[in-house]
Protein backbone atom coordinates (compact mmCIF):
# COMPACT_ATOMS: atom_id res chain seq x y z
CA UNK A 1 0.00 0.00 0.00
CA UNK A 2 1.37 3.40 -0.96
CA UNK A 3 2.39 5.79 1.76
CA UNK A 4 1.90 9.53 1.76
CA UNK A 5 3.03 11.03 -1.53
CA UNK A 6 3.95 14.62 -2.27
CA UNK A 7 4.70 16.47 -5.46
CA UNK A 8 6.86 17.96 -6.68
CA UNK A 9 9.93 16.83 -4.74
CA UNK A 10 11.89 19.98 -5.49
CA UNK A 11 10.84 23.39 -6.73
CA UNK A 12 12.61 26.67 -7.44
CA UNK A 13 10.56 29.86 -7.60
CA UNK A 14 11.25 33.57 -7.75
CA UNK A 15 10.13 36.13 -5.18
CA UNK A 16 6.57 37.28 -5.80
CA UNK A 17 5.52 34.12 -7.60
CA UNK A 18 2.86 31.68 -6.51
CA UNK A 19 3.36 27.97 -5.74
CA UNK A 20 1.07 24.96 -5.33
CA UNK A 21 2.22 21.86 -3.49
CA UNK A 22 0.28 18.60 -3.55
CA UNK A 23 -0.22 15.76 -1.12
CA UNK A 24 -2.00 12.42 -1.35
CA UNK A 25 -2.71 10.73 1.98
CA UNK A 26 -2.61 7.05 2.77
CA UNK A 27 -5.68 5.27 1.46
CA UNK A 28 -8.45 5.48 4.05
CA UNK A 29 -6.96 8.48 5.84
CA UNK A 30 -9.26 11.48 5.89
CA UNK A 31 -7.05 14.08 7.54
CA UNK A 32 -4.05 15.93 6.12
CA UNK A 33 -1.74 18.27 7.99
CA UNK A 34 0.86 20.60 6.49
CA UNK A 35 4.12 21.61 8.16
CA UNK A 36 6.92 23.98 7.19
CA UNK A 37 10.49 23.11 8.15
CA UNK A 38 13.07 25.82 7.73
CA UNK A 39 16.66 24.57 7.54
CA UNK A 40 18.05 23.73 10.96
CA UNK A 41 14.72 23.99 12.76
CA UNK A 42 11.89 21.68 13.70
CA UNK A 43 8.72 21.64 11.57
CA UNK A 44 6.02 24.23 12.25
CA UNK A 45 2.31 23.49 11.89
CA UNK A 46 0.57 25.31 9.04
CA UNK A 47 -2.85 23.67 8.53
CA UNK A 48 -4.93 20.62 9.29
CA UNK A 49 -7.79 19.55 7.02
CA UNK A 50 -10.35 16.91 7.81
CA UNK A 51 -13.31 15.93 5.66
CA UNK A 52 -12.51 18.81 3.32
CA UNK A 53 -12.74 21.44 6.05
CA UNK A 54 -9.99 23.44 7.73
CA UNK A 55 -9.76 22.21 11.30
CA UNK A 56 -6.65 24.00 12.47
CA UNK A 57 -4.35 26.80 11.39
CA UNK A 58 -0.91 27.75 12.64
CA UNK A 59 0.65 31.18 12.87
CA UNK A 60 1.17 31.79 9.16
CA UNK A 61 0.12 34.79 7.05
CA UNK A 62 -2.88 34.79 4.74
CA UNK A 63 -0.53 34.21 1.79
CA UNK A 64 -0.72 30.59 2.84
CA UNK A 65 -3.90 28.71 1.98
CA UNK A 66 -4.90 25.13 1.46
CA UNK A 67 -7.78 22.94 0.48
CA UNK A 68 -8.76 19.29 0.58
CA UNK A 69 -10.53 17.49 -2.23
CA UNK A 70 -13.28 14.83 -2.12
CA UNK A 71 -10.62 12.12 -2.53
CA UNK A 72 -8.87 13.57 0.59
CA UNK A 73 -5.81 14.76 -1.32
CA UNK A 74 -4.72 18.28 -0.50
CA UNK A 75 -3.05 21.32 -1.97
CA UNK A 76 -1.02 23.96 -0.18
CA UNK A 77 -0.86 27.32 -1.94
CA UNK A 78 1.55 30.12 -1.16
CA UNK A 79 1.15 33.51 -2.84
CA UNK A 80 3.62 36.38 -3.19
CA UNK A 81 6.59 34.20 -2.28
CA UNK A 82 9.28 35.61 -0.02
CA UNK A 83 12.86 34.41 0.42
CA UNK A 84 11.87 33.27 3.91
CA UNK A 85 9.36 30.82 2.46
CA UNK A 86 12.28 28.64 1.36
CA UNK A 87 11.80 25.45 3.35
CA UNK A 88 10.86 21.79 3.30
CA UNK A 89 7.08 21.45 3.24
CA UNK A 90 5.85 18.28 4.85
CA UNK A 91 2.47 16.67 4.58
CA UNK A 92 1.21 14.18 7.16
CA UNK A 93 -1.88 12.03 6.95
CA UNK A 94 -3.94 10.52 9.73
CA UNK A 95 -7.17 8.58 9.96
CA UNK A 96 -9.21 11.37 11.45
CA UNK A 97 -9.04 14.80 13.07
CA UNK A 98 -7.86 13.67 16.50
CA UNK A 99 -5.79 10.65 15.47
CA UNK A 100 -2.55 10.38 17.43
CA UNK A 101 -0.70 8.54 14.68
CA UNK A 102 0.53 10.54 11.74
CA UNK A 103 2.42 9.37 8.69
CA UNK A 104 4.71 11.79 6.89
CA UNK A 105 5.38 12.22 3.21
CA UNK A 106 8.88 12.79 1.81
CA UNK A 107 8.35 16.53 1.61
CA UNK A 108 8.67 19.19 -1.08
CA UNK A 109 11.79 21.32 -0.93
CA UNK A 110 10.95 24.85 -2.05
CA UNK A 111 13.69 27.32 -2.85
CA UNK A 112 12.76 30.96 -3.42
CA UNK A 113 15.36 33.10 -5.18
CA UNK B 1 10.72 29.38 25.82
CA UNK B 2 9.75 26.70 23.33
CA UNK B 3 6.93 24.36 24.25
CA UNK B 4 9.17 21.40 23.36
CA UNK B 5 12.85 21.44 24.29
CA UNK B 6 15.37 18.83 23.21
CA UNK B 7 18.88 18.18 24.43
CA UNK B 8 21.53 17.94 23.30
CA UNK B 9 21.29 19.84 20.01
CA UNK B 10 24.26 17.95 18.61
CA UNK B 11 25.71 14.62 19.67
CA UNK B 12 28.73 12.76 18.34
CA UNK B 13 29.35 9.18 19.44
CA UNK B 14 31.60 6.26 18.62
CA UNK B 15 30.10 3.13 17.19
CA UNK B 16 28.80 0.89 19.94
CA UNK B 17 28.11 3.63 22.47
CA UNK B 18 24.83 3.99 24.37
CA UNK B 19 23.04 7.19 23.40
CA UNK B 20 20.37 9.21 25.17
CA UNK B 21 18.39 12.12 23.74
CA UNK B 22 16.08 14.05 26.05
CA UNK B 23 12.83 15.91 25.45
CA UNK B 24 10.94 18.16 27.86
CA UNK B 25 7.60 19.75 27.16
CA UNK B 26 5.52 22.38 28.89
CA UNK B 27 2.01 21.72 27.58
CA UNK B 28 -0.60 19.06 28.19
CA UNK B 29 -0.29 16.31 25.65
CA UNK B 30 -2.24 13.37 24.33
CA UNK B 31 0.82 11.64 22.88
CA UNK B 32 4.53 12.15 22.29
CA UNK B 33 6.31 11.13 19.11
CA UNK B 34 9.94 10.37 18.38
CA UNK B 35 10.80 10.86 14.74
CA UNK B 36 13.90 10.28 12.64
CA UNK B 37 14.90 12.52 9.76
CA UNK B 38 17.69 11.66 7.34
CA UNK B 39 19.43 14.11 4.98
CA UNK B 40 17.01 14.81 2.16
CA UNK B 41 14.18 15.40 4.56
CA UNK B 42 11.95 12.34 4.84
CA UNK B 43 10.56 11.83 8.34
CA UNK B 44 10.01 8.37 9.79
CA UNK B 45 7.99 7.80 12.93
CA UNK B 46 9.93 5.74 15.47
CA UNK B 47 7.61 5.73 18.46
CA UNK B 48 4.36 7.16 19.69
CA UNK B 49 3.98 7.17 23.48
CA UNK B 50 1.32 8.25 25.91
CA UNK B 51 2.78 6.46 28.94
CA UNK B 52 5.53 4.10 30.06
CA UNK B 53 8.12 2.64 27.77
CA UNK B 54 8.40 1.17 24.28
CA UNK B 55 11.20 -0.83 22.67
CA UNK B 56 11.92 -1.58 19.04
CA UNK B 57 15.17 -3.32 18.26
CA UNK B 58 18.01 -1.20 19.63
CA UNK B 59 15.74 1.79 20.28
CA UNK B 60 13.96 2.45 23.56
CA UNK B 61 11.64 5.35 24.34
CA UNK B 62 10.35 6.30 27.77
CA UNK B 63 7.98 8.98 28.98
CA UNK B 64 7.24 10.40 32.43
CA UNK B 65 3.92 12.23 32.22
CA UNK B 66 4.21 13.79 35.69
CA UNK B 67 7.63 15.26 34.95
CA UNK B 68 6.73 16.09 31.30
CA UNK B 69 9.88 14.41 30.09
CA UNK B 70 10.76 11.75 27.56
CA UNK B 71 13.99 10.05 26.55
CA UNK B 72 15.08 8.19 23.45
CA UNK B 73 17.85 5.65 23.96
CA UNK B 74 19.90 3.90 21.30
CA UNK B 75 21.90 0.89 22.40
CA UNK B 76 24.98 -0.33 20.51
CA UNK B 77 24.91 2.69 18.20
CA UNK B 78 25.89 2.28 14.56
CA UNK B 79 26.89 4.80 11.87
CA UNK B 80 23.57 4.16 10.10
CA UNK B 81 21.85 5.67 13.16
CA UNK B 82 23.29 9.05 12.13
CA UNK B 83 20.31 11.32 11.55
CA UNK B 84 18.28 14.09 13.16
CA UNK B 85 16.00 12.85 15.93
CA UNK B 86 12.96 14.96 16.62
CA UNK B 87 10.56 14.95 19.54
CA UNK B 88 7.00 16.09 18.82
CA UNK B 89 3.95 16.34 21.04
CA UNK B 90 0.30 16.12 20.17
CA UNK B 91 -2.12 18.08 22.28
CA UNK B 92 -5.87 18.04 22.40
CA UNK B 93 -6.36 20.14 19.26
CA UNK B 94 -6.74 17.62 16.49
CA UNK B 95 -3.70 15.85 15.12
CA UNK B 96 -1.54 18.99 15.22
CA UNK B 97 2.01 18.31 16.40
CA UNK B 98 4.42 20.70 18.08
CA UNK B 99 8.03 19.83 17.35
CA UNK B 100 11.32 20.26 19.11
CA UNK B 101 14.31 21.64 17.25
CA UNK B 102 15.82 18.21 16.75
CA UNK B 103 19.06 16.53 17.82
CA UNK B 104 21.71 15.93 15.17
CA UNK B 105 23.32 12.56 15.94
CA UNK B 106 26.56 11.50 14.28
CA UNK B 107 27.92 8.04 14.99
CA UNK B 108 31.50 7.51 13.86
CA UNK B 109 32.87 4.08 12.96
Amino acid sequence: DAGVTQSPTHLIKTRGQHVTLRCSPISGHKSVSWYQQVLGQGPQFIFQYYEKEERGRGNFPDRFSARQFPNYSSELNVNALLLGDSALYLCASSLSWGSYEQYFGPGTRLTVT
Amino acid sequence: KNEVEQSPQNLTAQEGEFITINCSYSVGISALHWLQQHPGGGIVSLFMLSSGKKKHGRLIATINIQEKHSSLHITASHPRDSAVYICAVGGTSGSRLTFGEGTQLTVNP
Side-chain angles (χ1 to χ4, degrees), chain A residues 6-13 19-22 34-41 85-91 105-112, chain B residues 37-43:
Chain A
Q6 290 186 245
S7 63
T9 52
H10 296 86
L11 199 53
I12 300 174
K13 290 285 191 177
V19 69
T20 297
L21 310 181
R22 295 178 175 83
W34 287 96
Y35 297 88
Q36 180 198 62
Q37 186 178 25
V38 173
L39 193 63
Q41 298 181 17
D85 296 330
S86 296
L88 180 70
Y89 288 85
L90 294 160
C91 170
T108 293
R109 186 163 298 282
L110 172 65
T111 302
V112 182
Chain B
Q37 186 172 35
H38 281 280
I43 287 182

mmCIF file of all heavy atoms in Angstrom, chain A residues 6-13 19-22 34-41 85-91 105-112, chain B residues 37-43:
data_model
loop_
_atom_site.group_PDB
_atom_site.id
_atom_site.type_symbol
_atom_site.label_atom_id
_atom_site.label_comp_id
_atom_site.label_asym_id
_atom_site.label_seq_id
_atom_site.Cartn_x
_atom_site.Cartn_y
_atom_site.Cartn_z
ATOM 1 N N GLN A 6 3.961 13.187 -2.082
ATOM 2 C CA GLN A 6 3.952 14.625 -2.268
ATOM 3 C C GLN A 6 4.594 14.949 -3.610
ATOM 4 O O GLN A 6 5.506 14.259 -4.060
ATOM 5 C CB GLN A 6 4.743 15.328 -1.152
ATOM 6 C CG GLN A 6 4.078 15.272 0.201
ATOM 7 C CD GLN A 6 4.807 16.106 1.233
ATOM 8 O OE1 GLN A 6 5.340 15.582 2.204
ATOM 9 N NE2 GLN A 6 4.817 17.420 1.029
ATOM 10 N N SER A 7 4.093 16.014 -4.216
ATOM 11 C CA SER A 7 4.700 16.466 -5.462
ATOM 12 C C SER A 7 4.664 17.985 -5.541
ATOM 13 O O SER A 7 3.740 18.616 -4.988
ATOM 14 C CB SER A 7 3.954 15.849 -6.655
ATOM 15 O OG SER A 7 2.605 16.294 -6.699
ATOM 16 N N PRO A 8 5.635 18.604 -6.200
ATOM 17 C CA PRO A 8 6.858 17.964 -6.681
ATOM 18 C C PRO A 8 7.819 17.705 -5.523
ATOM 19 O O PRO A 8 7.541 18.089 -4.396
ATOM 20 C CB PRO A 8 7.419 19.024 -7.628
ATOM 21 C CG PRO A 8 6.973 20.313 -7.015
ATOM 22 C CD PRO A 8 5.617 20.051 -6.428
ATOM 23 N N THR A 9 8.948 17.074 -5.794
ATOM 24 C CA THR A 9 9.932 16.834 -4.736
ATOM 25 C C THR A 9 10.792 18.065 -4.509
ATOM 26 O O THR A 9 11.195 18.350 -3.369
ATOM 27 C CB THR A 9 10.828 15.642 -5.075
ATOM 28 O OG1 THR A 9 11.369 15.838 -6.374
ATOM 29 C CG2 THR A 9 10.042 14.348 -5.054
ATOM 30 N N HIS A 10 11.105 18.756 -5.571
ATOM 31 C CA HIS A 10 11.887 19.981 -5.486
ATOM 32 C C HIS A 10 11.269 21.040 -6.386
ATOM 33 O O HIS A 10 10.678 20.711 -7.427
ATOM 34 C CB HIS A 10 13.346 19.764 -5.944
ATOM 35 C CG HIS A 10 14.119 18.831 -5.091
ATOM 36 N ND1 HIS A 10 14.096 17.471 -5.272
ATOM 37 C CD2 HIS A 10 14.947 19.061 -4.036
ATOM 38 C CE1 HIS A 10 14.882 16.904 -4.375
ATOM 39 N NE2 HIS A 10 15.408 17.833 -3.614
ATOM 40 N N LEU A 11 11.450 22.295 -5.980
ATOM 41 C CA LEU A 11 10.837 23.388 -6.730
ATOM 42 C C LEU A 11 11.659 24.649 -6.492
ATOM 43 O O LEU A 11 12.040 24.939 -5.351
ATOM 44 C CB LEU A 11 9.417 23.591 -6.216
ATOM 45 C CG LEU A 11 8.376 24.330 -7.023
ATOM 46 C CD1 LEU A 11 8.256 23.749 -8.420
ATOM 47 C CD2 LEU A 11 7.044 24.251 -6.307
ATOM 48 N N ILE A 12 11.935 25.376 -7.562
ATOM 49 C CA ILE A 12 12.611 26.666 -7.435
ATOM 50 C C ILE A 12 11.685 27.737 -8.002
ATOM 51 O O ILE A 12 11.209 27.618 -9.133
ATOM 52 C CB ILE A 12 13.963 26.676 -8.171
ATOM 53 C CG1 ILE A 12 14.887 25.615 -7.588
ATOM 54 C CG2 ILE A 12 14.614 28.056 -8.090
ATOM 55 C CD1 ILE A 12 16.190 25.450 -8.340
ATOM 56 N N LYS A 13 11.438 28.763 -7.187
ATOM 57 C CA LYS A 13 10.561 29.860 -7.599
ATOM 58 C C LYS A 13 11.253 31.185 -7.332
ATOM 59 O O LYS A 13 12.218 31.263 -6.563
ATOM 60 C CB LYS A 13 9.239 29.804 -6.813
ATOM 61 C CG LYS A 13 8.327 28.645 -7.187
ATOM 62 C CD LYS A 13 7.666 28.908 -8.517
ATOM 63 C CE LYS A 13 6.563 27.913 -8.808
ATOM 64 N NZ LYS A 13 5.860 28.217 -10.083
ATOM 65 N N VAL A 19 3.002 29.389 -5.654
ATOM 66 C CA VAL A 19 3.357 27.971 -5.745
ATOM 67 C C VAL A 19 2.213 27.118 -5.210
ATOM 68 O O VAL A 19 1.478 27.529 -4.301
ATOM 69 C CB VAL A 19 4.660 27.681 -4.958
ATOM 70 C CG1 VAL A 19 4.451 27.821 -3.454
ATOM 71 C CG2 VAL A 19 5.206 26.306 -5.300
ATOM 72 N N THR A 20 2.053 25.951 -5.802
ATOM 73 C CA THR A 20 1.074 24.959 -5.335
ATOM 74 C C THR A 20 1.780 23.647 -5.069
ATOM 75 O O THR A 20 2.468 23.123 -5.950
ATOM 76 C CB THR A 20 -0.036 24.741 -6.373
ATOM 77 O OG1 THR A 20 -0.757 25.951 -6.568
ATOM 78 C CG2 THR A 20 -1.009 23.654 -5.888
ATOM 79 N N LEU A 21 1.632 23.139 -3.871
ATOM 80 C CA LEU A 21 2.220 21.864 -3.486
ATOM 81 C C LEU A 21 1.082 20.868 -3.273
ATOM 82 O O LEU A 21 0.008 21.242 -2.787
ATOM 83 C CB LEU A 21 3.028 22.023 -2.193
ATOM 84 C CG LEU A 21 4.041 23.169 -2.162
ATOM 85 C CD1 LEU A 21 4.772 23.183 -0.827
ATOM 86 C CD2 LEU A 21 5.009 23.079 -3.316
ATOM 87 N N ARG A 22 1.342 19.603 -3.595
ATOM 88 C CA ARG A 22 0.284 18.602 -3.549
ATOM 89 C C ARG A 22 0.649 17.444 -2.639
ATOM 90 O O ARG A 22 1.816 17.083 -2.516
ATOM 91 C CB ARG A 22 -0.021 18.106 -4.960
ATOM 92 C CG ARG A 22 -0.593 19.198 -5.845
ATOM 93 C CD ARG A 22 -0.866 18.755 -7.275
ATOM 94 N NE ARG A 22 -1.516 19.833 -8.025
ATOM 95 C CZ ARG A 22 -0.872 20.834 -8.596
ATOM 96 N NH1 ARG A 22 0.448 20.908 -8.537
ATOM 97 N NH2 ARG A 22 -1.544 21.772 -9.259
ATOM 98 N N TRP A 34 -0.292 20.012 7.179
ATOM 99 C CA TRP A 34 0.855 20.598 6.487
ATOM 100 C C TRP A 34 1.792 21.233 7.510
ATOM 101 O O TRP A 34 1.334 21.905 8.453
ATOM 102 C CB TRP A 34 0.411 21.653 5.487
ATOM 103 C CG TRP A 34 -0.247 21.116 4.251
ATOM 104 C CD1 TRP A 34 -1.583 20.974 4.013
ATOM 105 C CD2 TRP A 34 0.409 20.675 3.065
ATOM 106 N NE1 TRP A 34 -1.798 20.457 2.767
ATOM 107 C CE2 TRP A 34 -0.595 20.273 2.157
ATOM 108 C CE3 TRP A 34 1.743 20.578 2.669
ATOM 109 C CZ2 TRP A 34 -0.300 19.782 0.882
ATOM 110 C CZ3 TRP A 34 2.031 20.085 1.404
ATOM 111 C CH2 TRP A 34 1.021 19.693 0.527
ATOM 112 N N TYR A 35 3.089 21.044 7.285
ATOM 113 C CA TYR A 35 4.118 21.613 8.156
ATOM 114 C C TYR A 35 5.192 22.260 7.297
ATOM 115 O O TYR A 35 5.501 21.786 6.210
ATOM 116 C CB TYR A 35 4.770 20.535 9.025
ATOM 117 C CG TYR A 35 3.823 19.865 9.994
ATOM 118 C CD1 TYR A 35 3.092 18.747 9.619
ATOM 119 C CD2 TYR A 35 3.662 20.357 11.287
ATOM 120 C CE1 TYR A 35 2.223 18.126 10.504
ATOM 121 C CE2 TYR A 35 2.790 19.748 12.180
ATOM 122 C CZ TYR A 35 2.072 18.633 11.780
ATOM 123 O OH TYR A 35 1.213 18.039 12.660
ATOM 124 N N GLN A 36 5.787 23.335 7.839
ATOM 125 C CA GLN A 36 6.922 23.983 7.193
ATOM 126 C C GLN A 36 8.163 23.760 8.047
ATOM 127 O O GLN A 36 8.134 23.998 9.267
ATOM 128 C CB GLN A 36 6.673 25.499 7.063
ATOM 129 C CG GLN A 36 7.818 26.248 6.384
ATOM 130 C CD GLN A 36 7.753 27.747 6.659
ATOM 131 O OE1 GLN A 36 7.840 28.190 7.799
ATOM 132 N NE2 GLN A 36 7.614 28.529 5.592
ATOM 133 N N GLN A 37 9.241 23.301 7.421
ATOM 134 C CA GLN A 37 10.490 23.106 8.148
ATOM 135 C C GLN A 37 11.591 23.932 7.499
ATOM 136 O O GLN A 37 12.103 23.590 6.430
ATOM 137 C CB GLN A 37 10.889 21.635 8.185
ATOM 138 C CG GLN A 37 12.112 21.380 9.059
ATOM 139 C CD GLN A 37 12.488 19.918 9.134
ATOM 140 O OE1 GLN A 37 12.174 19.138 8.245
ATOM 141 N NE2 GLN A 37 13.163 19.523 10.210
ATOM 142 N N VAL A 38 11.954 25.001 8.175
ATOM 143 C CA VAL A 38 13.072 25.820 7.731
ATOM 144 C C VAL A 38 14.362 25.115 8.139
ATOM 145 O O VAL A 38 14.424 24.448 9.174
ATOM 146 C CB VAL A 38 12.971 27.225 8.368
ATOM 147 C CG1 VAL A 38 14.199 28.042 8.066
ATOM 148 C CG2 VAL A 38 11.715 27.932 7.898
ATOM 149 N N LEU A 39 15.389 25.262 7.320
ATOM 150 C CA LEU A 39 16.656 24.568 7.540
ATOM 151 C C LEU A 39 17.173 24.773 8.958
ATOM 152 O O LEU A 39 17.262 25.906 9.436
ATOM 153 C CB LEU A 39 17.686 25.075 6.523
ATOM 154 C CG LEU A 39 18.963 24.256 6.389
ATOM 155 C CD1 LEU A 39 18.642 22.852 5.877
ATOM 156 C CD2 LEU A 39 19.961 24.951 5.464
ATOM 157 N N GLY A 40 17.474 23.672 9.630
ATOM 158 C CA GLY A 40 18.049 23.730 10.958
ATOM 159 C C GLY A 40 17.036 23.853 12.085
ATOM 160 O O GLY A 40 17.427 23.929 13.256
ATOM 161 N N GLN A 41 15.758 23.861 11.753
ATOM 162 C CA GLN A 41 14.720 23.992 12.764
ATOM 163 C C GLN A 41 13.749 22.818 12.689
ATOM 164 O O GLN A 41 13.727 22.059 11.719
ATOM 165 C CB GLN A 41 13.959 25.302 12.581
ATOM 166 C CG GLN A 41 14.817 26.546 12.727
ATOM 167 C CD GLN A 41 14.004 27.814 12.565
ATOM 168 O OE1 GLN A 41 12.781 27.803 12.653
ATOM 169 N NE2 GLN A 41 14.682 28.921 12.335
ATOM 170 N N ASP A 85 10.241 31.970 2.668
ATOM 171 C CA ASP A 85 9.364 30.816 2.462
ATOM 172 C C ASP A 85 10.154 29.595 2.009
ATOM 173 O O ASP A 85 9.584 28.496 1.910
ATOM 174 C CB ASP A 85 8.291 31.141 1.423
ATOM 175 C CG ASP A 85 7.343 32.238 1.861
ATOM 176 O OD1 ASP A 85 7.116 32.374 3.085
ATOM 177 O OD2 ASP A 85 6.841 32.976 0.992
ATOM 178 N N SER A 86 11.433 29.772 1.737
ATOM 179 C CA SER A 86 12.276 28.635 1.364
ATOM 180 C C SER A 86 12.325 27.651 2.525
ATOM 181 O O SER A 86 12.719 28.011 3.646
ATOM 182 C CB SER A 86 13.693 29.105 1.031
ATOM 183 O OG SER A 86 13.692 29.932 -0.102
ATOM 184 N N ALA A 87 11.923 26.432 2.271
ATOM 185 C CA ALA A 87 11.797 25.455 3.350
ATOM 186 C C ALA A 87 11.432 24.100 2.765
ATOM 187 O O ALA A 87 11.148 23.974 1.565
ATOM 188 C CB ALA A 87 10.716 25.877 4.342
ATOM 189 N N LEU A 88 11.422 23.104 3.638
ATOM 190 C CA LEU A 88 10.864 21.790 3.301
ATOM 191 C C LEU A 88 9.417 21.788 3.778
ATOM 192 O O LEU A 88 9.143 22.088 4.941
ATOM 193 C CB LEU A 88 11.657 20.694 4.002
ATOM 194 C CG LEU A 88 11.195 19.261 3.763
ATOM 195 C CD1 LEU A 88 11.493 18.839 2.321
ATOM 196 C CD2 LEU A 88 11.897 18.310 4.739
ATOM 197 N N TYR A 89 8.500 21.489 2.891
ATOM 198 C CA TYR A 89 7.078 21.450 3.238
ATOM 199 C C TYR A 89 6.656 19.992 3.356
ATOM 200 O O TYR A 89 6.742 19.227 2.402
ATOM 201 C CB TYR A 89 6.257 22.213 2.203
ATOM 202 C CG TYR A 89 6.476 23.695 2.321
ATOM 203 C CD1 TYR A 89 7.551 24.308 1.686
ATOM 204 C CD2 TYR A 89 5.654 24.484 3.125
ATOM 205 C CE1 TYR A 89 7.799 25.663 1.833
ATOM 206 C CE2 TYR A 89 5.883 25.837 3.270
ATOM 207 C CZ TYR A 89 6.961 26.421 2.621
ATOM 208 O OH TYR A 89 7.198 27.769 2.784
ATOM 209 N N LEU A 90 6.202 19.652 4.541
ATOM 210 C CA LEU A 90 5.853 18.275 4.854
ATOM 211 C C LEU A 90 4.352 18.126 4.969
ATOM 212 O O LEU A 90 3.663 18.980 5.525
ATOM 213 C CB LEU A 90 6.499 17.859 6.176
ATOM 214 C CG LEU A 90 8.024 17.783 6.168
ATOM 215 C CD1 LEU A 90 8.566 17.857 7.585
ATOM 216 C CD2 LEU A 90 8.484 16.503 5.488
ATOM 217 N N CYS A 91 3.875 17.029 4.459
ATOM 218 C CA CYS A 91 2.471 16.667 4.575
ATOM 219 C C CYS A 91 2.398 15.413 5.449
ATOM 220 O O CYS A 91 3.239 14.512 5.330
ATOM 221 C CB CYS A 91 1.910 16.390 3.187
ATOM 222 S SG CYS A 91 0.271 15.668 3.160
ATOM 223 N N GLY A 105 4.890 12.356 4.566
ATOM 224 C CA GLY A 105 5.382 12.221 3.212
ATOM 225 C C GLY A 105 6.842 12.624 3.139
ATOM 226 O O GLY A 105 7.422 13.079 4.130
ATOM 227 N N PRO A 106 7.453 12.475 1.963
ATOM 228 C CA PRO A 106 8.880 12.788 1.813
ATOM 229 C C PRO A 106 9.179 14.277 1.783
ATOM 230 O O PRO A 106 10.328 14.678 1.927
ATOM 231 C CB PRO A 106 9.238 12.140 0.476
ATOM 232 C CG PRO A 106 7.942 12.121 -0.274
ATOM 233 C CD PRO A 106 6.870 11.928 0.746
ATOM 234 N N GLY A 107 8.155 15.095 1.607
ATOM 235 C CA GLY A 107 8.351 16.531 1.608
ATOM 236 C C GLY A 107 8.602 17.110 0.226
ATOM 237 O O GLY A 107 8.992 16.407 -0.713
ATOM 238 N N THR A 108 8.331 18.401 0.114
ATOM 239 C CA THR A 108 8.672 19.188 -1.078
ATOM 240 C C THR A 108 9.643 20.262 -0.643
ATOM 241 O O THR A 108 9.333 21.045 0.269
ATOM 242 C CB THR A 108 7.434 19.850 -1.703
ATOM 243 O OG1 THR A 108 6.570 18.850 -2.233
ATOM 244 C CG2 THR A 108 7.849 20.810 -2.824
ATOM 245 N N ARG A 109 10.820 20.284 -1.283
ATOM 246 C CA ARG A 109 11.791 21.316 -0.933
ATOM 247 C C ARG A 109 11.603 22.498 -1.865
ATOM 248 O O ARG A 109 11.803 22.390 -3.072
ATOM 249 C CB ARG A 109 13.219 20.787 -1.018
ATOM 250 C CG ARG A 109 14.218 21.812 -0.509
ATOM 251 C CD ARG A 109 15.571 21.221 -0.180
ATOM 252 N NE ARG A 109 15.546 20.228 0.866
ATOM 253 C CZ ARG A 109 15.467 20.488 2.163
ATOM 254 N NH1 ARG A 109 15.380 21.735 2.584
ATOM 255 N NH2 ARG A 109 15.489 19.515 3.045
ATOM 256 N N LEU A 110 11.196 23.624 -1.284
ATOM 257 C CA LEU A 110 10.951 24.854 -2.046
ATOM 258 C C LEU A 110 12.102 25.820 -1.823
ATOM 259 O O LEU A 110 12.471 26.104 -0.670
ATOM 260 C CB LEU A 110 9.641 25.503 -1.587
ATOM 261 C CG LEU A 110 9.343 26.898 -2.144
ATOM 262 C CD1 LEU A 110 9.136 26.851 -3.659
ATOM 263 C CD2 LEU A 110 8.126 27.513 -1.455
ATOM 264 N N THR A 111 12.663 26.293 -2.906
ATOM 265 C CA THR A 111 13.691 27.321 -2.852
ATOM 266 C C THR A 111 13.160 28.561 -3.553
ATOM 267 O O THR A 111 12.729 28.482 -4.708
ATOM 268 C CB THR A 111 14.992 26.866 -3.538
ATOM 269 O OG1 THR A 111 15.451 25.667 -2.903
ATOM 270 C CG2 THR A 111 16.067 27.935 -3.439
ATOM 271 N N VAL A 112 13.197 29.682 -2.847
ATOM 272 C CA VAL A 112 12.756 30.956 -3.420
ATOM 273 C C VAL A 112 13.977 31.835 -3.632
ATOM 274 O O VAL A 112 14.756 32.064 -2.686
ATOM 275 C CB VAL A 112 11.742 31.669 -2.504
ATOM 276 C CG1 VAL A 112 11.262 32.974 -3.140
ATOM 277 C CG2 VAL A 112 10.558 30.760 -2.204
ATOM 278 N N GLN B 37 14.831 11.827 11.042
ATOM 279 C CA GLN B 37 14.896 12.521 9.756
ATOM 280 C C GLN B 37 16.306 12.403 9.197
ATOM 281 O O GLN B 37 17.273 12.852 9.801
ATOM 282 C CB GLN B 37 14.513 13.993 9.899
ATOM 283 C CG GLN B 37 14.413 14.740 8.578
ATOM 284 C CD GLN B 37 13.838 16.133 8.745
ATOM 285 O OE1 GLN B 37 14.084 16.801 9.745
ATOM 286 N NE2 GLN B 37 13.053 16.590 7.767
ATOM 287 N N HIS B 38 16.407 11.805 8.012
ATOM 288 C CA HIS B 38 17.690 11.661 7.343
ATOM 289 C C HIS B 38 17.913 12.833 6.398
ATOM 290 O O HIS B 38 16.948 13.526 6.017
ATOM 291 C CB HIS B 38 17.740 10.343 6.578
ATOM 292 C CG HIS B 38 18.012 9.163 7.454
ATOM 293 N ND1 HIS B 38 19.287 8.843 7.884
ATOM 294 C CD2 HIS B 38 17.193 8.242 7.999
ATOM 295 C CE1 HIS B 38 19.235 7.769 8.643
ATOM 296 N NE2 HIS B 38 17.978 7.384 8.731
ATOM 297 N N PRO B 39 19.166 13.068 5.985
ATOM 298 C CA PRO B 39 19.429 14.106 4.982
ATOM 299 C C PRO B 39 18.548 13.883 3.773
ATOM 300 O O PRO B 39 18.337 12.767 3.340
ATOM 301 C CB PRO B 39 20.908 13.898 4.639
ATOM 302 C CG PRO B 39 21.482 13.226 5.823
ATOM 303 C CD PRO B 39 20.389 12.374 6.400
ATOM 304 N N GLY B 40 17.980 14.968 3.235
ATOM 305 C CA GLY B 40 17.012 14.809 2.162
ATOM 306 C C GLY B 40 15.609 15.045 2.660
ATOM 307 O O GLY B 40 14.716 15.378 1.889
ATOM 308 N N GLY B 41 15.410 14.885 3.961
ATOM 309 C CA GLY B 41 14.185 15.400 4.561
ATOM 310 C C GLY B 41 13.156 14.421 5.045
ATOM 311 O O GLY B 41 12.418 14.732 5.961
ATOM 312 N N GLY B 42 13.058 13.215 4.476
ATOM 313 C CA GLY B 42 11.952 12.345 4.837
ATOM 314 C C GLY B 42 11.910 12.037 6.321
ATOM 315 O O GLY B 42 12.949 11.802 6.953
ATOM 316 N N ILE B 43 10.730 12.083 6.905
ATOM 317 C CA ILE B 43 10.559 11.832 8.337
ATOM 318 C C ILE B 43 9.935 10.460 8.532
ATOM 319 O O ILE B 43 8.920 10.132 7.908
ATOM 320 C CB ILE B 43 9.694 12.922 8.987
ATOM 321 C CG1 ILE B 43 10.487 14.226 9.102
ATOM 322 C CG2 ILE B 43 9.193 12.489 10.348
ATOM 323 C CD1 ILE B 43 9.749 15.353 9.772
#
